[in-house]
């Protein structure tokens, strides 16, 4: 498994191309890798979240709650697939 970071709606690797090993804590077996994101990726992610926050914040609390409940329902429905 090779993981990627999701920044501003796109899957990406670290700018440096560096990765971090992900080990199974039970037996230290290599499970996969994830990007070793640094300051540049972090700033891009912060900028993306800041832009996305305004439309979310302008929704009513009732609307946000309904969307979060729907997301929870979908996650429960697809829990087995998500676990894989």
């Amino acid at each position: 498994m090779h993981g990627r970071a999701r920044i501003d709606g796109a899957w990406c690797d670290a700018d440096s191309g560096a990765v971090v090993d992900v080990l199974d804590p039970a037996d230290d077996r290599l499970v996969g890798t994830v990007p070793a994101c640094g300051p540049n990726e972090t700033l891009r992610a912060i900028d993306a979240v800041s832009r996305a926050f305004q439309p979310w914040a302008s929704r009513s609390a009732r609307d946000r709650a309904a969307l979060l409940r729907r997301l929870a329902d979908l996650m429960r429905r697809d829990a087995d697939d998500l676990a894989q």
Side-chain angles (χ1 to χ4, degrees), residues 32-54:
T33 60
V34 294
C37 294
N40 291 335
E41 297 89 349
T42 302
L43 290 174
R44 286 199 315 269
I46 291 169
D47 288 343
V49 168
S50 295
R51 286 191 312 275
F53 180 73
Q54 280 305 322

Side-chain angles (χ1 to χ4, degrees), residues 10-72:
W11 292 104
C12 62
D13 295 316
D15 291 348
S16 68
V19 296
V20 175
D21 290 341
V22 178
L23 304 176
D24 183 331
D27 59 12
D28 284 333
R29 180 180 53 85
L30 180 65
V31 175
T33 60
V34 294
C37 294
N40 291 335
E41 297 89 349
T42 302
L43 290 174
R44 286 199 315 269
I46 291 169
D47 288 343
V49 168
S50 295
R51 286 191 312 275
F53 180 73
Q54 280 305 322
W56 178 255
S58 68
R59 292 177 176 266
S60 70
R62 182 182 304 253
D63 189 29
R64 290 192 307 257
L67 288 168
L68 289 172
R69 281 191 201 99
R70 175 71 177 135
L71 176 60

